[in-house]
Every structure is written in structure tokens, then in C-alpha cells.
Amino acid sequence: REGFESILYFKRSRMEVLNNVVETHVFDGERASTKTGREVLFVGRLTEEKGIWDLLHVIADMATDYPDVTFTLAGVAESLEDEARIHAFCEERNIASQIRFLGQVEGEEKTRAFVSADLFVFPSYEEIFPNVLLEAMAAGLPVVSTRIFCIPEIVEDGEHGILIEPGDRVALRTALITLLEDDALRGHISSANYRRARERYDVSVAADTLTSVFESVTARNGRG
């Protein structure tokens, strides 16, 4: 909206922003029976631009002090060679037992991954509007993500999660540890995210907004 206003001189009063949306109701069921209590989830391509190598190095740094934390990675690398590099790194750093690779997940399997987790981590370098953040929030997961593009509009730092700069592995480690160790903070953020997803990003909210836009346009044209 700011771009259209500043570059194309559209009037702010004549613009309405439609966010990406998520069907929040699919995350309303019981928490998964396999919940470990200390599971961190990543969903996305296992690539450098998604921050996977930053995450792997942080997992390795945390392994000794947090051997009971499981990291679930849902997604695939860009090539078999890259996939092999990732698995080789895990073996070399003795963290393979703490990482669960799900591969590409969709539908109910993806939903189960979200509801069984405790935290969502997304250390990406490049994004437009990542729907995985909406899915994580709909599942009530506190978020650790990077402060890029529109992510600060989705995740308010300190209220819906912790935001860090891309590539800052120290900050990533600190953010994960903070949320893993602070039960009260994790609970507060979990409740805030659950509400925010339903109040702002549910598909019904976008439908209502779009209906209102259509009604105002037809009314201005004398057909309302």
C-alpha cells in the first residue's frame, strides 16, 4: 500500500490490503499424541536462502546443552547432492539423532507436523509473504524468524515471536533458547498467535473484506 501511494500516487483511502490467508480451523483439533514437549519445526526448502545452514550450525551448537530438543525439518533440498551434504553435516556433527527429516509434506501430514511442535523457526533470507508463518500461528506456535520484508507485519517482535537479522546465528541460538526455557513467555506468545491468526489471517476475514470492496465499488458505480 505504501508503494502504490508513494510511487503511483494512489489514495490510501481508496486502497484495501488483502493479506494471504490460512484455513485456521484445520489446526483446531487436539494436539498430536506424539508431542515431545521440546520440538522445533522448520517448514520450507532446505536451501541456503531459507537459512537451513544457519539452523544446522545452531542445532550443532545447542546439541550438548539441549540433547532432549528435537528439530523437525519438513522440506527438500534443491538437489540430491545438496541433500547428501546436509545429511553428511548432521553425521559429522553428531546431531543426526536430534533431527527428523520429513521430506515434502502436504495436507494432513503437514498439519500434524505443526500441531505436534512447540516452536516454529524460519531463518530465511528471502521472502514475500510466507504462508508457513500463518500456519504456525494458527497452530499456536511461537515463531523465531528473520526481520525481512513483510515478516515484521505478520510477527510483531516480542508479542508473536522473536525476530532476528538474517545470518545472525548467535541471535538465532539465543532466540530459540529463550523460548525453550521460558514457559510463561512461550505460553503467552502461543495464545497471542492463535488469536491473531483467526482474527487477521483466516480465510473468512479475507472473504468479508473482499465482499466489502465489491459492494463499495458497485455502490459507487450506481449498481449497489
Side-chain angles (χ1 to χ4, degrees):
R1 181 159 60 184
E2 290 176 357
F4 277 103
E5 185 179 37
S6 63
I7 299 173
L8 301 178
Y9 307 106
F10 286 16
K11 292 183 178 179
R12 177 173 287 263
S13 62
R14 300 291 296 275
M15 289 185 283
E16 188 70 51
V17 175
L18 285 177
N19 294 305
N20 281 12
V21 296
V22 63
E23 292 185 280
T24 60
H25 69 88
V26 303
F27 300 97
D28 286 341
E30 292 290 328
R31 301 281 278 176
S33 59
T34 57
K35 188 171 175 59
T36 65
R38 293 175 76 80
E39 181 178 347
V40 180
L41 175 67
F42 168 91
V43 178
R45 297 193 315 277
L46 307 184
T47 60
E48 188 169 355
E49 62 267 21
K50 291 293 184 181
I52 194 62
W53 286 103
D54 292 331
L55 180 57
L56 289 173
H57 279 277
V58 167
I59 294 172
D61 289 341
M62 292 175 59
T64 300
D65 294 330
Y66 296 88
D68 59 334
V69 175
T70 299
F71 290 84
T72 299
L73 310 183
V76 295
E78 290 188 336
S79 67
L80 293 177
E81 290 79 6
D82 287 342
E83 195 94 21
R85 285 178 58 226
I86 290 171
H87 285 276
F89 177 89
C90 294
E91 293 293 341
E92 291 166 4
R93 298 297 296 270
N94 297 315
I95 56 174
S97 62
Q98 286 184 252
I99 299 179
R100 186 165 62 113
F101 290 94
L102 297 185
Q104 189 70 34
V105 294
E106 298 292 344
E108 293 183 2
E109 185 180 8
K110 186 179 182 182
T111 301
R112 284 195 300 271
F114 278 106
V115 300
S116 66
D118 295 283
L119 301 177
F120 185 73
V121 60
F122 196 64
S124 182
Y125 287 70
E126 300 175 1
E127 293 298 327
I128 298 177
F129 197 113
N131 263 41
V132 290
L133 292 183
L134 307 187
E135 293 170 319
M137 294 169 75
L141 299 185
V143 169
V144 175
S145 186
T146 40
R147 189 182 289 105
I148 58 173
F149 199 56
C150 72
I151 288 178
E153 294 183 28
I154 304 170
V155 178
E156 184 180 344
D157 193 16
E159 181 63 22
H160 306 107
I162 299 176
L163 298 182
I164 63 169
E165 297 303 321
D168 190 339
R169 295 176 182 175
V170 173
L172 177 58
R173 183 182 190 275
T174 300
L176 288 171
I177 291 173
T178 296
L179 289 173
L180 284 168
E181 293 188 345
D182 193 331
D183 294 342
L185 177 62
R186 197 170 61 250
H188 169 77
I189 293 176
S190 176
S191 298
N193 284 357
Y194 188 90
R195 291 193 305 271
R196 185 175 177 87
R198 283 151 184 79
E199 293 170 357
R200 185 169 181 176
Y201 297 114
D202 186 72
V203 64
S204 64
V205 176
D208 290 344
T209 302
L210 191 57
T211 298
S212 177
V213 169
F214 282 135
E215 288 175 347
S216 66
V217 170
T218 55
R220 286 198 301 269
N221 289 331
R223 295 192 295 272

